Amino acid sequence: MKSGGKSRSLLRHMGTFVRGRLPGQLVLQFTDHCNASCPQCGMRRDASFPRSILSLDDGKRIIDHAAASGISALSLTGGEPFLFKEELIALIKHAGQAGIPYIRTGTNGYLFMNHDRTGFRDRVSELAAALASTTLYTFWISVDSSVPEVHERMRGLPGVTKGIEKALPIFHEHGIYPSANLGITRNVCSSTNDVVSKDLYRAGFRDFFTHLINMGFTIANACYPMSIDKDSDDSLSAVYEATAADDLVRFSAEETVIVLNALRETIPEFRSRIRIFSPLSSLYALERQHAGKSGVCQPCRGGSDFFFVDSVGGNTYPCGYRGNDNLGKFWDLDLKKPPLAPTCRECDWECFRDPSELLGFFADLFVRPLTAVRTVLSDFAAFRLRLSDLRYYMACDLFNGRMPPDYHKLGSFSRDCIQTRFPCSAAGYSVSPQ
Ligand code: SF4
Ligand code: SF4
């Protein structure tokens, strides 16, 4: 983005905060077709349900309304969106022309199988060139484990790790810097273990980030485990089958605290070497919530500033997990007023919880200044963590996947010592290194 465009965008965002809102986000599930076999996901290829794809016309209509309503970030998801590559690229181009600045999409990586067959380089170059011809901001590739065999067995995509490694430099040649997307499961540790301990998960995350750097990734993001217990909580119902009752992704509240804490303590070790999207302030807030300190984290903006549209009927939901709250067709929604008040803290969906936690405070500052001041005074360390995250986001050029990392800027985050100054025991709970 040129500097004039950047200033305009910052001004527009400032206006959004002044109105007590956050820059809008739309997750548009383009299809629920998938060719992978992830055990933790109800959309896996052997799951039996009628599959769907959004029509190009509906997709464009939704995007036009999003752009006209000031939505800043659009994620085109699946299923596996690249099963319909031509349509996907047409929608990305349409969103760019409509003026949406942050357009994201990603793949489970099947595109990078059969790397040893002739034509692999040409095939990847063609894809990279097609994406480079759009204004796509983020291109993510799923990676579930530092152990290639574990990742490939989970996904049902043999040989894909080597293929991704070979593909990354080709993308870089085209000015695209893919982001690795980790879905946290019990398999994140190289040895699957029923016992969740901090040491085990610290080691697992260290192995994982090291693996990504060795593969050639320059950006990473973590998807927190979705521990929705369908038996005990009927208020949530996944819209898009992206949950499963598999033990692999089910963690108790105590285990979730350990896993998130291990991630929060590991990220600072790697922030100078790979751009890691997951904000420490959000991890900290979720840890506190799962430790029984609810009320201290920002409410999620799902349904007020962030929305999910499904591929089945093109209907709108507050997020992918509130399938009981159908808000109707997206293009009928007047987003000038939030359709729902931001109050929900029911799940850990990072797509919506991370930006809510990171930015919600700044919206409060303008419309609920007393609440904002109380937030700072009640937990000043958390406030510092938020400011440190924002400083890091700026050093990462807002995770612009069209720019290489600036290691000089990232260097100031080498061995960020906030973690040692800010143990969880100071935040009102403890995680023992078992
Ligand atoms: S997690 Fe993604 S890649 Fe895996 S089965 Fe589900 S939709 Fe497909
Ligand atoms: S916390 Fe956000 S993402 Fe999770 S169920 Fe509530 S509105 Fe949806």
Side-chain angles (χ1 to χ4, degrees):
M1 205 185 283
K2 296 209 173 82
S3 65
K6 229 176 186 171
S7 317
R8 270 196 303 280
S9 162
L10 282 175
L11 278 177
R12 190 169 72 158
H13 287 162
M14 188 54 79
T16 308
F17 288 119
V18 169
R19 284 181 283 112
R21 305 288 297 275
L22 296 193
Q25 185 187 170
L26 173 64
V27 176
L28 179 53
Q29 185 196 30
F30 171 51
T31 180
D32 52 21
H33 285 264
C34 193
N35 53 359
S37 63
C38 314
Q40 77 276 22
C41 176
M43 285 185 278
R44 61 185 175 273
R45 62 192 177 211
D46 62 356
S48 170
F49 66 95
R51 306 278 174 163
S52 55
I53 174 171
L54 212 59
S55 76
L56 213 45
D57 283 349
D58 279 358
K60 287 181 178 174
R61 194 173 172 193
I62 290 165
I63 287 169
D64 287 341
H65 186 62
S69 305
I71 292 277
S72 296
L74 171 74
S75 299
L76 292 158
T77 68
E80 170 53 45
F82 279 88
L83 287 174
F84 305 95
K85 194 178 79 181
E86 304 305 321
E87 292 88 337
L88 177 67
I89 288 174
L91 288 181
I92 295 170
K93 285 193 168 154
H94 190 82
Q97 283 156 5
I100 297 180
Y102 304 108
I103 306 168
R104 307 167 181 148
T105 195
T107 177
N108 59 30
Y110 86 96
L111 300 156
F112 312 119
M113 288 169 68
N114 304 315
H115 64 89
D116 42 4
R117 290 202 191 150
T118 49
F120 178 80
R121 187 182 169 84
D122 289 346
R123 186 156 54 85
V124 175
S125 284
E126 196 188 317
L127 173 67
L131 292 178
S133 74
T134 72
T135 54
L136 184 69
Y137 193 82
T138 305
F139 174 54
W140 75 77
I141 303 172
S142 300
V143 183
D144 294 329
S145 170
S146 59
V147 182
E149 299 73 36
V150 173
H151 169 67
E152 292 169 13
R153 192 175 60 243
M154 277 180 73
R155 296 265 159 185
L157 304 173
V160 72
T161 308
K162 195 79 205 153
I164 295 171
E165 265 177 50
K166 285 171 80 170
L168 285 174
I170 304 173
F171 279 100
H172 294 173
E173 283 165 21
H174 286 81
I176 292 183
Y177 295 83
S179 170
N181 220 21
L182 164 69
I184 298 175
T185 68
R186 289 176 189 269
N187 278 346
V188 80
C189 301
S190 39
S191 61
T192 307
N193 196 322
D194 285 345
V195 179
V196 174
S197 77
K198 183 166 163 181
D199 284 350
L200 188 66
Y201 276 77
R202 285 276 271 136
F205 290 128
R206 272 198 195 107
D207 289 348
F208 182 74
F209 288 125
T210 304
H211 175 60
L212 293 186
I213 293 166
N214 291 340
M215 285 180 79
F217 277 106
T218 67
I219 309 180
N221 183 38
C223 302
Y224 312 143
M226 290 299 295
S227 309
I228 294 175
D229 186 343
K230 286 181 180 163
D231 298 332
S232 67
D233 183 353
D234 58 6
S235 66
L236 294 185
S237 163
V239 180
Y240 64 119
E241 304 291 340
T243 53
D246 199 284
D247 281 346
L248 209 53
V249 281
R250 288 173 81 83
F251 293 85
S252 67
E254 294 75 24
E255 289 174 331
T256 303
V257 173
I258 293 169
V259 172
L260 297 181
N261 182 258
L263 179 60
R264 177 164 66 83
E265 294 201 358
T266 309
I267 286 173
E269 293 174 26
F270 290 88
R271 271 183 155 183
S272 62
R273 289 184 276 160
I274 181 166
R275 295 171 283 182
I276 304 177
F277 189 81
S278 311
L280 303 183
S281 51
S282 182
L283 286 162
Y284 168 72
L286 291 173
E287 283 169 50
R288 280 187 57 105
Q289 181 179 319
H290 285 285
K293 310 274 176 191
S294 55
V296 291
C297 39
Q298 290 284 329
C300 178
R301 297 282 173 151
S304 54
D305 297 312
F306 307 156
F307 303 92
F308 176 89
V309 172
D310 76 340
S311 63
V312 178
N315 289 312
T316 314
Y317 298 86
C319 65
Y321 299 91
R322 285 173 59 181
N324 299 326
D325 298 312
N326 187 342
L327 302 173
K329 300 294 178 197
F330 187 72
W331 51 73
D332 289 332
L333 286 179
D334 177 3
L335 300 184
K336 287 198 192 78
K337 286 182 294 191
L340 299 176
T343 54
C344 186
R345 295 180 179 88
E346 288 287 325
C347 82
D348 298 342
W349 197 28
E350 68 295 326
C351 293
F352 286 6
R353 293 302 298 265
D354 282 354
S356 299
E357 190 58 47
L358 193 59
L359 301 174
F361 166 83
F362 297 99
D364 274 353
L365 205 53
F366 290 101
V367 291
R368 285 176 288 275
L370 283 179
T371 306
V373 169
R374 266 200 299 272
T375 304
V376 177
L377 295 179
S378 68
D379 197 339
F380 190 67
F383 179 65
R384 274 183 24 225
L385 206 52
R386 185 176 290 124
L387 293 184
S388 147
D389 281 333
L390 290 173
R391 197 168 63 86
Y392 183 66
Y393 270 44
M394 298 311 285
C396 292
D397 293 304
L398 299 180
F399 301 91
N400 188 342
R402 304 301 288 268
M403 289 172 69
D406 181 336
Y407 289 112
H408 179 68
K409 284 198 244 172
L410 296 185
S412 66
F413 290 86
S414 86
R415 196 60 207 111
D416 190 328
C417 58
I418 278 209
Q419 220 47 58
T420 49
R421 293 202 308 262
F422 188 44
C424 59
S425 54
Y429 60 92
S430 64
V431 173
S432 25
Q434 297 157 33

